[in-house]
Amino acid sequence: MYSAASGWLMTSLAPEPLIVSLVQVATTLPMVLLALPAGALADVVDRRRLLIATESATTVICAGFAAFVWLDLVTPGTLLLFTFLVSAGGVLTAPAWQAVVPDLVPKQDLAPAITANGVGFNISRAIGPALGGAIIGAFGIAAPFWINAVSNFGVVGALLWWRSPQKPGRHLPTERLGRAIVTGLRYGRLNSHLRATMVRAVGFFLFSSAYWALLPLIARAQISGGPELYGILLGAIGAGAVAGAFLLPWLKARLGPDRTVSAATVGTAAALTLFGSAHDQVTGVIASLIAGVSWIAALASLNVSAQVSLPDWVRGRGLAFYMTISFGAMTLGSALWGKAGEIIGLPFAHFVAAAGALTLIPLTRRWKLQTGAGIDLTPSMHWPPPIAAQEVDQDRGPVMVTVEYQIDPSDRAAFLTALDKLSRERRRDGAYAWGVFEDAAVAGRFVETFLVASWLEHLRQHERVTNADRVLQDAVSRFHCAGSPKVSHLIAAEADAAQHARL
């Protein structure tokens, strides 16, 4: 109801395509700006408390916005400002909401749980806009905003009632927010499964954003309808998404996640073409239904792919990274298609978006989805903490870790290939300046070296190793001729450490 009312209110205040599309920009821009800090918060603080605090603050903002609309004080600028603030509240909770899903269901039920979550969201998307259009007609434009503010009490109440499962206590201090953000960025950049998901997400959201941004103008200017029609079109998108959720298991069983997203992109292109040629309500509703089915098929497949690629310790940050890229594509697309609507008109803007979506299908095909589904990302805890001769200050660093191997010289090529795979895991979990050196005097003797920022960060490395990472480590260790490889930990001397801190 809130989304429908915001879009419709802007068509009354400033009906230019670019200005109307800025409502969608104001909705998605906070995701680009705030998702990474929000993801870090979701990983370093109690997620339930974070959700309660942020949802309570959002309730206050929503009530303030409703008062502005009720008192007829709203302008295009204040509408965009409050839309940004309300969306910012949603962004601060989004990674935490996503990250608690695995706390609610076992891993084997994660995919249907994410789909069910999408069904619940899209049922509200189906009912809310149509109901919002009717309420605007009956009680005025302020009514949906007041209802939105009051409805948040139900969300806060549900969070107060729910108790998150107990997890093993942390042995190390909580990460600082800035360091946690950097760690999340590094992990997301070096996680090949998540990176492939983000590439596919950009290809989909950049072009599907066209109908989200321009739908108010399709309803008002192209089909010549009122707020009720706009609500019906949004409701049809939601209804299509609900229907698509029930079709999704059948689609995924026959097509797999990659071809499901490709099929959803083709469906989105068809919907964009129909939106561009719609001059009657029936065509608009058909386009909306196709768009809804395509939306849930792509969104659920991409979300599952992101979830299964992340261990719990970085889940909030990884999902925030994925959402930043996805909504960044939507933000850019919304502004782009709004400007295109002004220059070439609404129909041609939709046609160009449809052509672009189809073009990207073959270009993104090599990035595969849900490749992390069969990987065990639970902590292995097999890597014992380093032994120190005396107590080490946790902030001391950098720490140089060396691992010495003695292998059969005939295994050199296979060993280096396995070690290269392990190096990606080392860098992903906090190492830098990784390298491997071969002894010129002793055949088969290799030394692997890498640096870690501090002693505390190296201790975190030990806790971040998953069972999948252990498989890589064991594969490398098997090349060692006798026993286990020799591991050494060298900490920068105090004078050098102080100089490193200044740099």
Side-chain angles (χ1 to χ4, degrees):
M1 291 172 61
Y2 170 84
S3 298
S6 296
W8 189 256
L9 179 58
M10 185 60 88
T11 65
S12 303
L13 298 172
E16 295 85 0
L18 179 59
I19 301 298
V20 173
S21 70
L22 287 179
V23 175
Q24 183 71 14
V25 172
T27 302
T28 56
L29 183 60
M31 184 64 73
V32 181
L33 300 178
L34 301 175
L36 289 174
L41 282 173
D43 283 333
V44 302
V45 305
D46 183 88
R47 289 167 182 165
R48 175 175 170 271
R49 293 180 180 177
L50 172 65
L51 288 170
I52 291 172
T54 310
E55 291 290 353
S56 299
T58 302
T59 303
V60 175
I61 296 171
C62 290
F65 186 34
F68 262 73
V69 178
W70 184 48
L71 296 172
D72 201 22
L73 298 175
V74 71
T75 64
T78 55
L79 172 56
L80 293 174
L81 174 62
F82 274 103
T83 300
F84 181 89
L85 293 175
V86 172
S87 182
V91 171
L92 290 174
T93 60
W97 279 123
Q98 294 271 8
V100 300
V101 174
D103 293 337
L104 306 175
V105 296
K107 184 176 180 180
Q108 65 269 21
D109 294 332
L110 184 60
I114 291 173
T115 303
N117 193 38
V119 170
F121 180 79
N122 284 287
I123 286 174
S124 71
R125 187 188 292 278
I127 298 173
L131 186 60
I135 288 175
I136 290 171
F139 301 102
I141 189 65
F145 298 105
W146 282 117
I147 294 172
N148 179 53
V150 172
S151 72
N152 273 17
F153 286 108
V155 178
V156 175
L159 288 165
L160 291 171
W161 170 78
W162 176 60
R163 290 293 182 271
S164 55
Q166 295 296 316
K167 296 184 178 180
R170 289 173 172 154
H171 303 293
L172 299 175
T174 300
E175 291 180 83
R176 295 175 181 174
L177 184 61
R179 170 61 63 181
I181 293 173
V182 172
T183 299
L185 281 170
R186 181 188 63 233
Y187 189 96
R189 180 174 57 85
L190 295 174
N191 184 323
S192 60
H193 310 291
L194 183 62
R195 197 166 60 243
T197 303
M198 291 189 292
V199 171
R200 296 295 293 273
V202 169
F204 179 78
F205 290 119
L206 183 64
F207 297 98
S208 64
S209 61
Y211 67 80
W212 287 115
L214 299 174
L215 193 61
L217 290 173
I218 292 290
R220 185 171 195 137
Q222 193 166 297
I223 305 180
S224 301
E228 295 84 1
L229 174 61
Y230 179 52
I232 289 171
L233 295 180
L234 281 176
I237 293 176
V242 173
F246 289 101
L247 291 172
L248 192 55
W250 180 84
L251 278 174
K252 290 176 69 175
R254 283 155 180 79
L255 301 179
D258 292 295
R259 286 191 292 173
T260 295
V261 172
S262 295
T265 305
V266 172
T268 298
L272 287 165
T273 302
L274 286 173
F275 277 127
S277 57
H279 292 281
D280 60 88
Q281 182 172 325
V282 174
T283 305
V285 169
I286 293 173
S288 297
L289 290 171
I290 296 173
V293 172
S294 304
W295 178 262
I296 193 64
L299 192 65
S301 300
L302 291 167
N303 283 353
V304 171
S305 187
Q307 286 273 14
V308 298
S309 68
L310 295 165
D312 187 69
W313 70 268
V314 75
R315 188 178 303 280
R317 282 165 283 184
L319 291 171
F321 196 18
Y322 159 72
M323 287 186 284
T324 298
I325 298 299
S326 301
F327 280 86
M330 284 199 73
T331 302
L332 175 62
S334 296
L336 175 67
W337 303 120
K339 189 63 177 177
E342 282 192 349
I343 296 173
I344 61 177
L346 292 177
F348 282 103
H350 286 85
F351 298 152
V352 172
L358 293 174
T359 301
L360 273 191
I361 292 176
L363 296 179
T364 58
R365 186 172 294 161
R366 69 186 183 93
W367 284 278
K368 303 300 182 183
L369 296 174
Q370 299 184 25
T371 51
I375 297 176
D376 186 357
L377 296 178
T378 56
S380 67
M381 305 305 293
H382 78 286
W383 195 8
I387 298 174
Q390 56 188 2
E391 186 174 349
V392 179
D393 183 10
Q394 291 183 338
D395 291 332
R396 278 193 64 185
V399 177
M400 173 183 282
V401 182
T402 66
V403 188
E404 183 177 330
Y405 305 92
Q406 184 64 50
I407 69 167
D408 187 329
S410 63
D411 292 332
R412 182 180 184 278
F415 167 74
L416 291 176
T417 299
L419 194 61
D420 180 65
K421 293 179 181 177
L422 180 61
S423 73
R424 300 169 201 169
E425 177 262 315
R426 305 272 205 215
R427 288 193 291 260
R428 190 196 62 208
D429 287 350
Y432 66 95
W434 182 92
V436 59
F437 300 88
E438 185 173 6
D439 195 330
V442 181
R445 181 173 179 265
F446 290 82
V447 178
E448 176 194 9
T449 68
F450 57 88
L451 297 177
V452 188
S454 67
W455 186 253
L456 175 59
E457 191 64 15
H458 182 52
L459 294 178
R460 294 194 201 282
Q461 271 191 309
H462 287 251
E463 293 192 350
R464 291 169 180 167
V465 175
T466 66
N467 285 318
D469 299 331
R470 182 177 184 176
V471 172
L472 290 176
Q473 292 186 7
D474 290 346
V476 172
S477 296
R478 278 194 290 270
F479 287 97
H480 189 66
C481 290
S484 300
K486 180 182 177 182
V487 182
S488 300
H489 304 85
L490 309 174
I491 310 176
E494 291 294 339
D496 292 338
Q499 181 181 11
H500 175 78
R502 286 195 299 273
L503 290 175

